[in-house]
């Protein structure tokens, strides 16, 4: 391993130059004017795979931005690792807040600044440089490696989601490796083993054909705001538990092993108060803040409207009211089942006096890689060797739908080995990536691929 690590140290400036070349390509997936830039970036990656000695590589056109696929066989019988990343980036505005232009990568204070540095070009290139190092020095890889890069992660992964189920064989693997997330803190390696899922609804109520005079009609017809408020309030009890029957039936309780893991992490309240400005922590009784925001399901109104909210008083009895409401889901809640339970509850508890319309909006599955999964443990061991510190395991409250989809479609463990930092301004001006994590990331990746062969 020393020889490989030495090569990484010795070549790091060239690796950084290549990262800069990749960063200069303006692959903003949301911007139709950058369609060609996205295609150019995909082609650059396919060419780069070839250049570093990966046997097979090609651009796969889709209805949206292209995918990039690569494959290099390892020894017979060795496992196959599928490395996922995305080459598209977020838009760059507001441009005036960037210290240096987003597509002119610049190094200062041990960081590389530019759009896509931490999310996700810098993290993606880590694995290419690890593979290059092994092919150059050892002439072979310890495992078979497949690459899958997409250009629509920042806009919902539509093309990949559609393409995935029909290409299970091409993507057949034993482990999926994703570097598109953050570690807890600089110098403190961590692996994210869980993400929450999401379902989202709009509920519209109508009680009359138009707004009415509250003197002439008040008391005689239903008020949609009152109805909606009662309906919403009834969905939570005094312990902040969701009251929809069956909502918790399939929730996987936090295991003893996870409890022990949570004990190694901050309890979460201090961080929550500092970053939110909230008066106090508030949530489901019986759980810590860290658990509430990662391992427990939620139901939250995201918006509510109706009636008069202008200056002064208007004696109106509104005809319509509306609500946006979402639920974060955890293993093993089935989004379809919970969606049906929600609709059923709303239909049953809305008085006949109100016309009801429920619209289901976008959603995503939860994801979990069990703490006992050997591929996860080997990932942690690799991080520990390179960083010289115990690796922690985190569960996160957010959702990355494509990760959950890959886990579900390929039915293989997904290891989220993030080399970014939460402070690195992903999606914001002055996005950057820590150079030490870039270098250590390459070493971790090549060590990990060796460990997976054992
Ligand atoms: Zn990303």
């Amino acid at each position: 391993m020393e020889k490989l690590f030495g090569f990484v140290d010795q070549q790091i400036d060239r690796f950084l130059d290549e990262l800069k070349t990749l960063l200069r390509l303006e692959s903003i997936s949301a911007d139709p004017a950058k369609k060609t830039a996205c295609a150019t970036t995909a082609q650059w990656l396919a060419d780069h795979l070839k250049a570093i000695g990966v046997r097979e590589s090609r651009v796969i056109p889709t209805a949206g931005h292209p995918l990039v696929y690569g494959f290099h066989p390892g020894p017979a019988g060795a496992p196959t690792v599928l490395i996922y990343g995305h080459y598209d980036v977020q838009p760059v505005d507001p441009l005036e807040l960037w210290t240096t232009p987003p597509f002119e990568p610049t190094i200062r204070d041990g960081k590389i600044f530019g759009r896509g540095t931490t999310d996700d070009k810098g993290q993606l290139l880590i694995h290419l440089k690890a593979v290059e190092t092994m092919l150059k020095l050892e002439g072979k890889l310890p495992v078979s490696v497949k690459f899958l890069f997409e250009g629509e992660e920042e806009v919902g992964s539509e093309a990949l989601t559609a393409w995935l189920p029909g290409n299970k064989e091409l993507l057949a693997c034993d482990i999926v490796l994703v570097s598109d997330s953050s570690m807890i803190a600089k110098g403190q390696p961590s692996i994210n083993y869980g993400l929450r899922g999401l379902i989202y609804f709009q509920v519209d109520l109508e009680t009359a054909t138009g707004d009415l005079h509250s003197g002439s009609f008040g008391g005689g017809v239903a008020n949609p705001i009152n109805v909606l408020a009662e309906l919403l309030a009834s969905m939570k009890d005094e312990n902040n538990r969701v009251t929809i029957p069956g909502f918790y039936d399939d929730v996987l309780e936090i295991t003893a092993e996870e409890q022990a893991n949570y004990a190694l992490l901050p309890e979460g309240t201090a961080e929550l108060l500092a970053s939110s400005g909230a008066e106090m922590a508030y949530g489901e009784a019986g759980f810590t803040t860290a658990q509430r925001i990662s391992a427990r399901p939620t139901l939250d109104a995201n918006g509510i409207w109706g009636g008069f909210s202008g200056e002064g008083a208007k004696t109106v009895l509104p005809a319509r009211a509306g609500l946006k409401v979402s639920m974060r889901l955890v293993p093993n809640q089935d989004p379809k089942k919970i969606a049906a339970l929600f609709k059923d509850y709303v239909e049953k508890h809305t008085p006949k006096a109100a016309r009801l319309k429920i619209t289901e909006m976008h959603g995503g599955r939860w994801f979990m890689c069990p703490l006992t999964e050997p591929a996860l443990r080997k990932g942690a061991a690799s991080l520990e060797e390179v960083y010289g510190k115990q690796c922690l395991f985190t569960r996160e409250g957010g959702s990355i739908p494509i990760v959950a989809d890959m886990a579900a479609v390929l039915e293989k463990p997904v290891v989220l080995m993030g080399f970014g930092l939460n402070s690195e301004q992903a999606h914001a001006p002055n996005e950057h990536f820590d150079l030490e994590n870039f270098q250590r990331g390459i070493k971790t990746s090549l060590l990990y691929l060796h460990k997976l062969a054992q």
Side-chain angles (χ1 to χ4, degrees), residues 374-393:
L376 191 82
R377 292 287 163 186
K378 287 177 181 175
S382 309
L383 283 162
E384 283 168 3
E385 266 186 65
V386 173
Y387 283 79
K389 208 161 177 199
Q390 186 188 2
C391 176
L392 300 176
F393 297 97

Side-chain angles (χ1 to χ4, degrees), residues 54 96 111 116 143 147 154 193 219 222 249 290 303 309 339 351 391 422:
V54 170
E96 64 277 13
K111 300 161 186 139
V143 291
F147 296 94
E154 304 293 4
Y193 71 98
D249 281 2
S309 57
C391 176
N422 281 327

Side-chain angles (χ1 to χ4, degrees), residues 24 40 43 51 58 93-94 144 172 182 186 189 209 218 238 246 293 312 348 362 366 378 408 434 437 440 444:
R24 284 190 195 101
T40 306
Q43 191 59 54
R58 60 192 153 100
D93 45 302
S144 291
S182 296
K186 183 156 158 93
T209 46
E238 67 281 9
I293 61 175
K348 272 204 185 102
H362 73 99
W366 49 262
K378 287 177 181 175
D434 185 272
N437 281 336
R440 284 176 157 179
T444 306

Side-chain angles (χ1 to χ4, degrees), residues 1 45 61 64 73 82 89 101 109 113 118 123 125 162 176 186 197 211 226 249 263 293 334 344 367 412 428 430 449:
M1 216 38 70
L45 283 168
L82 174 67
V89 299
D109 311 326
F113 286 79
T118 189
Q123 298 205 52
L125 202 69
V176 183
K186 183 156 158 93
D211 288 356
N226 292 34
D249 281 2
I293 61 175
D334 174 6
D344 196 47
F367 156 78
K412 296 294 171 193
N430 298 316
L449 295 183

Side-chain angles (χ1 to χ4, degrees), residues 201-204 228 232 235 301-305 321-325:
F201 290 93
Q202 178 168 328
V203 177
D204 288 285
L228 197 59
L232 178 61
M235 289 187 215
N302 304 102
I304 187 162
W305 61 92
L323 170 73
K324 302 253 188 202
V325 60

Side-chain angles (χ1 to χ4, degrees), residues 86 119-120 153-154 180 427:
H86 66 90
D119 184 17
D120 177 45
E153 197 277 337
E154 304 293 4
D180 188 21
H427 297 201

